[in-house]
Amino acid sequence: MFIGRERELAALDKMYRSNQFEFAVIYGRRRVGKTALISQFIRDKNAVYFMGIESNAKQNLENFSRSILEYQPEIQAETSFLSFQAAFEYVFRLAEKERMILAVDEYPYVARSSKSLASTIQLLIDKYKDSSKLMLILCGSSMSYMEDHVLAYKAPLYGRRTAQMKIQPFDFADTCRYFRNFSHEDKALIYGIAGGTPQYLLQMSDKLSVEDNIKNTFLNPASPLFEEPENLLKQEVREPALYNAIVTAIASGASRMAEISTKVGEDTSVCAAYLKNLIALGLVQKETPYGEKVSRKSVYAIGDNMFRFWYRFVPENNSIIVRGAAELAYKRIEPHLSDYMGKVFEEICRQYLWTCMLRGKSAVQFKDLGRWWGTDPSTRSQTEIDMMGEQDKNTAVFGECKWTNEKVDTGVLEMLVKRSGLFHYKQIQLYLFAKNGFTKGCVELADCMGNVTLVAYQDILDELSGG
């Protein structure tokens, strides 16, 4: 079942309907659903689909030739093009007569095996762009290769593309569409442990409990997810051991550069370069307090939920997991799940606020949302706000999120009022988010204040499911 990606499909369809030469670059992390998107798009259209493999030029050319022959069966079956230029030119010329698509998946494998391929495609685009009705799609999982050798200013193909799409993991709303049978709470838990990467979501079953899903995947040495983070790093980077050490350090609580450097045992300059690559891969996020462009208070966090869950719980329990003691490992993990879900719930609440704002249901038209942390001058102690967003110098929104079984009471609202007072906005809108609703006193205080919106988790699900 194919779900989501409506905006990407709409953009590709619009390009296809132009009936003139188009060149789309599609890239994104492995497992994120790029191939599924392309397959869905071309399924009812004239298309040549070719997936590159990690081999030499000869093997890739033979496979490419075979893909073209499947589209044009009247050509002799044993025919193979003598060069990539001949093969690509054949398709460009074929598209002079009819609208067709050429999708080259895992393009970096092909381009690495044939160093002149990018220049060859550039030459053919320049030659045929006015006469050919080809829609060319180059797709790749190697983020650095696609950005440096396809999209970058110095790349031969720079300036030729008519669109590019960086495919991101699903958000919480799309993730929920995968699972009809999970309870509302379990949908959040699954998003927290698997994230929005389609290939990871496919490992989860809504016919089982969250506990059984965790045992079957993360706590099962035979499961694809058991070694997935380490395997993905091996595919993406040259020195996976150091990358692994850095991610492990962040997962264990080292969030500042100096802390990460100390824990890993490398200079901050070395760690900075590696962290930059992890950020580009979407595995790590760099955060600064909201409103501060450059800050010594910057922190690093694992940006992908599946990686965050894996690094938080699997390595420390690895010895008993490999001995088949999934039950014991889960008993060690379970007491920490609610605390782990705090950050996940914050992200879900941010997605809710963005959805409300884009649908015209927000009192504050904020430009961005983020966390803030810093010093409270009155107490000279560190404090933080789960989310805030500024409309202008006079207007802002502040939010606090609580993933607890208890109803949220007045103390949380009073604390948010106090912390929002650290800023000098004339108009503020406060949001309280709660897993299980609010006490009567909190509801009454919010009504009395007039600038407070109370949002239960059920309200978030209702809005994200269609509004």
Side-chain angles (χ1 to χ4, degrees):
M1 178 180 68
F2 185 88
I3 68 162
R5 307 298 186 205
E6 286 87 1
R7 280 184 299 174
E8 290 88 348
L9 284 171
L12 290 170
D13 273 322
K14 184 178 179 182
M15 294 174 72
Y16 182 77
R17 291 196 306 271
S18 76
N19 214 36
Q20 61 189 25
F21 175 76
E22 300 279 4
F23 173 24
V25 177
I26 298 176
Y27 68 116
R29 263 178 39 209
R30 297 177 196 279
R31 327 281 197 258
V32 83
K34 302 180 298 298
T35 299
L37 169 66
I38 293 171
S39 298
Q40 179 72 11
F41 170 62
I42 67 174
R43 63 182 182 147
D44 56 353
K45 301 176 179 70
N46 293 331
V48 173
Y49 174 83
F50 162 57
M51 177 176 281
I53 59 172
E54 206 165 3
S55 184
N56 59 15
K58 182 176 184 295
Q59 183 67 62
N60 274 302
L61 180 57
E62 286 177 1
N63 292 347
F64 185 31
S65 298
R66 198 170 294 118
S67 297
I68 297 171
L69 297 177
E70 288 172 0
Y71 182 81
Q72 287 286 96
E74 63 270 18
I75 305 177
Q76 291 297 316
E78 64 273 9
T79 301
S80 183
F81 291 94
L82 297 177
S83 67
F84 277 109
Q85 179 164 341
F88 272 92
E89 186 154 20
Y90 180 83
V91 177
F92 269 91
R93 293 182 65 180
L94 199 61
E96 288 181 313
K97 303 169 188 171
E98 59 185 11
R99 184 56 159 168
M100 64 177 291
I101 301 164
L102 170 58
V104 181
D105 205 346
E106 293 301 354
Y107 169 76
Y109 287 154
V110 192
R112 286 191 186 112
S113 73
S114 176
K115 302 299 183 187
S116 62
L117 182 58
S119 297
T120 296
I121 296 174
Q122 174 202 339
L123 173 78
L124 294 173
I125 289 173
D126 292 347
K127 181 178 179 181
Y128 288 102
K129 67 179 187 297
D130 295 326
S131 61
S132 181
K133 298 175 183 177
L134 181 67
M135 181 171 176
L136 174 64
I137 299 173
L138 298 186
C139 177
S141 298
S142 174
M143 306 273 277
S144 58
Y145 191 95
M146 295 300 286
E147 288 170 348
D148 295 343
H149 296 278
V150 180
L151 299 172
Y153 178 73
K154 292 182 179 179
L157 291 170
Y158 180 81
R160 271 70 181 181
R161 71 184 184 276
T162 52
Q164 77 273 336
M165 298 179 183
K166 185 176 183 178
I167 307 302
Q168 303 285 4
F170 285 141
D171 59 15
F172 178 58
D174 274 337
T175 300
C176 287
R177 292 164 64 185
Y178 256 97
F179 305 111
R180 304 292 183 188
N181 299 321
F182 279 133
S183 69
H184 293 333
E185 182 176 338
D186 284 354
K187 286 178 181 177
L189 286 165
I190 288 293
Y191 182 64
I193 67 175
T197 301
Q199 196 62 42
Y200 305 153
L201 294 171
L202 288 171
Q203 307 299 318
M204 304 292 156
S205 170
D206 61 2
K207 294 178 175 63
L208 301 174
S209 66
V210 170
E211 176 180 342
D212 286 339
N213 272 292
I214 291 173
K215 289 176 183 174
N216 287 350
T217 52
F218 295 94
L219 309 184
N220 175 11
S223 161
L225 286 189
F226 181 68
E227 294 181 342
E228 170 66 9
E230 291 178 332
N231 287 338
L232 191 140
L233 283 177
K234 288 173 185 174
Q235 290 176 310
E236 291 289 351
V237 299
R238 291 178 182 172
E239 299 176 68
L242 185 48
Y243 282 98
N244 194 53
I246 289 172
V247 179
T248 301
I250 296 171
S252 63
S255 58
R256 299 180 186 275
M257 179 67 80
E259 296 169 344
I260 296 167
S261 173
T262 301
K263 206 147 197 170
V264 172
E266 293 283 353
D267 290 343
T268 54
S269 59
V270 174
C271 289
Y274 282 70
L275 281 164
K276 184 179 179 183
N277 290 336
L278 287 167
I279 291 168
L281 287 171
L283 302 180
V284 168
Q285 293 174 334
K286 181 180 181 180
E287 284 187 288
T288 54
Y290 184 87
E292 300 182 27
K293 291 283 188 277
V294 180
S295 174
R296 291 182 178 179
K297 294 184 282 186
S298 295
V299 296
Y300 296 87
I302 299 177
D304 179 272
N305 284 346
M306 192 282 285
F307 271 68
R308 187 166 158 259
F309 184 87
W310 192 95
Y311 277 98
R312 171 67 180 82
F313 295 115
V314 173
E316 67 180 31
N317 291 297
N318 190 66
S319 296
I320 61 173
I321 294 170
V322 295
R323 285 169 172 78
E327 192 72 40
L328 176 58
Y330 184 78
K331 284 180 180 176
R332 292 183 179 181
I333 293 169
E334 187 179 26
H336 304 285
L337 278 178
S338 183
D339 180 60
Y340 170 85
M341 282 298 296
K343 291 289 183 192
V344 178
F345 189 49
E346 285 179 26
E347 175 56 31
I348 291 171
C349 295
R350 272 194 288 273
Q351 292 178 20
Y352 165 84
L353 269 188
W354 273 111
T355 300
C356 288
M357 202 269 285
L358 295 172
R359 290 176 177 170
K361 298 180 179 181
S362 172
V364 176
Q365 302 298 303
F366 51 83
K367 302 166 193 165
D368 202 358
L369 283 176
R371 280 198 312 134
W372 180 88
W373 59 96
T375 304
D376 182 340
S378 64
T379 60
R380 295 183 181 178
S381 62
Q382 287 294 300
T383 188
E384 68 174 68
I385 299 170
D386 286 346
M387 70 178 79
M388 66 174 290
E390 185 181 83
Q391 176 176 306
D392 51 45
K393 292 181 180 179
N394 297 315
T395 311
V397 60
F398 295 88
E400 186 74 19
C401 313
K402 294 296 177 187
W403 185 261
T404 58
N405 289 328
E406 299 79 30
K407 290 179 184 272
V408 170
D409 201 1
T410 53
V412 178
L413 177 52
E414 289 163 353
M415 179 188 67
L416 182 58
V417 171
K418 183 175 182 295
R419 290 177 180 175
S420 66
L422 296 171
F423 301 84
H424 303 290
Y425 296 104
K426 292 177 183 177
Q427 290 181 295
I428 61 170
Q429 184 70 28
L430 304 178
Y431 280 83
L432 276 192
F433 298 92
K435 175 186 175 185
N436 283 325
F438 307 88
T439 63
K440 184 181 178 184
C442 188
V443 173
E444 289 173 350
L445 179 57
D447 286 343
C448 182
M449 290 178 62
N451 67 331
V452 180
T453 303
L454 302 181
V455 184
Y457 174 54
Q458 181 62 54
D459 300 327
I460 294 176
L461 286 171
D462 292 342
E463 182 64 43
L464 294 181
S465 65

